[in-house]
Amino acid sequence: MISSDFSLETFFDLTPDLVCVAGYDGYFKKINPAVSHVLEYSLEELYSRPIDDFIYPEDRPITQTKREDLKERKPLINFENRYVSKSGKIIWLSWTSWPIPDQQVVFAIAKEVTSRKNQENNREAMLTALSEKNEELKRLTYVTAHDLRTPVSSILMVFNLLDFNKIQDPETLELVQLIQRSTLGLKDSLNKYLHLIAEKESSNFDLELLNFSEVYSQVVSTIQPLISSTGTEIVSDFSKAPELHYNRLYLGSIFLNLISNAIKYSRPDIQSRIKIKTFKSEGKTILTIQDNGEGMDMEYVKGKLFGMNQTFHQHADSKGIGLYLIYNHIKSVGGSIEVESEIGMGSTFTITF
């Protein structure tokens, strides 16, 4: 049994929640020490002034509306408003209140929720800033893709003016044709990027049945000068999983970035070789791209490899964007990517779609 020495008054005084009795006239009638402790006013100050004096000015109208509801015998559950402490701090309180009409008073209990509200406000601010940054990046991507089409189109016009029959040297003719195909591939990619941005705007993301070999061949044709100039050997085998439901632009970007990275970070002392294959495992389509390049220290790059602007080699052309794009392409449709690598022994990227 509870000791008779333990009275309700003791409970009222010791509870950490803010407990009060407020009159219909807008003044505190009885409050526990927690109210004085949180608001930093003395009991005399709290009793002598209208409750509205302690409420944050912007919250007074909604608080008055809720007070009128209480007078209409409507209990108040989890109503949150702000008070201002004597030192000027903003205090968030969550109220649960019951009217006692025949006594013209309201019994109320409040919990301080300032910390939670601050966290919510910080999160909202971060989400707003992130949304603004995403919009800025989207606009930049659109402008870049759009504006690059003009010089690309100008280059293609030059090719249209060329009379290929006048080029007598076979190697020169082959080189010019390679540049022409690469430029056409660049124009096609820019158009696809613009189309993808438009799809994102309309929340429409196209997945289609793709042939690995076809997408791979299109990518290789655009970077053939790079492949030829470096003497890179690429062996591909898509026979075990020839097709995939996926976004064409994303799959092309995966091929483009991983193949160009493999060439970029090849070892100068041996011929660069890249092996690409697809297969099925547990009902999922797997793509692996293996190279014999410089490789990476996986302990060092752990957790950072797919981050924005992360570079791990001293290559002048390293920007730390390619792997970031690949990672987000794959994650956006529920896939995964894993890497095995060792310094001097090359890298293997395994993508599960």
Side-chain angles (χ1 to χ4, degrees), residues 209-225:
L209 183 61
L210 301 174
N211 183 280
F212 273 111
S213 182
E214 177 190 343
V215 177
Y216 162 79
S217 297
Q218 291 174 348
V219 170
V220 167
S221 68
T222 65
I223 58 172
Q224 190 59 52

Side-chain angles (χ1 to χ4, degrees), residues 17-19 76-83 91-97 108-114 116-117:
D17 291 335
L18 287 71
V19 182
L76 191 62
I77 308 297
N78 298 329
F79 167 65
E80 296 179 351
N81 65 354
R82 289 168 288 183
Y83 280 65
I91 309 295
W92 278 96
L93 298 176
S94 177
W95 293 93
T96 299
S97 308
I109 299 176
K111 290 182 178 293
E112 185 182 354
V113 293
T114 306
R116 174 174 63 80
K117 294 298 292 188

Side-chain angles (χ1 to χ4, degrees), residues 3-98:
S3 170
S4 59
D5 294 334
F6 190 87
S7 64
L8 291 176
E9 191 71 25
T10 303
F11 175 78
F12 184 84
D13 289 340
L14 294 181
T15 180
D17 291 335
L18 287 71
V19 182
C20 69
V21 180
Y24 279 18
D25 60 358
Y27 283 80
F28 288 120
K29 303 303 180 182
K30 186 175 180 59
I31 55 177
N32 71 338
V35 179
S36 178
H37 174 72
V38 171
L39 296 183
E40 302 172 346
Y41 287 96
S42 67
L43 294 178
E44 291 75 15
E45 289 173 309
L46 290 166
Y47 283 131
S48 63
R49 295 166 56 181
I51 296 173
D52 276 356
D53 282 2
F54 308 107
I55 297 175
Y56 189 71
E58 292 183 8
D59 290 353
R60 289 172 187 171
I62 184 63
T63 302
Q64 180 60 36
T65 300
K66 296 299 182 181
R67 191 177 293 146
E68 294 301 319
D69 288 343
L70 284 166
K71 292 179 181 180
E72 296 295 326
R73 300 174 181 265
K74 299 176 183 178
L76 191 62
I77 308 297
N78 298 329
F79 167 65
E80 296 179 351
N81 65 354
R82 289 168 288 183
Y83 280 65
V84 183
S85 73
K86 192 170 185 176
S87 65
K89 292 188 296 185
I90 305 298
I91 309 295
W92 278 96
L93 298 176
S94 177
W95 293 93
T96 299
S97 308
W98 300 267

Side-chain angles (χ1 to χ4, degrees), residues 11 25 84 104 117 182 201 245 275 288 292 331 339-341:
F11 175 78
D25 60 358
V84 183
Q104 297 286 288
K117 294 298 292 188
S182 295
E201 288 290 334
H245 271 98
K275 296 180 180 179
T288 66
N292 64 342
K331 286 293 183 180
V339 186
E340 295 179 7
S341 188

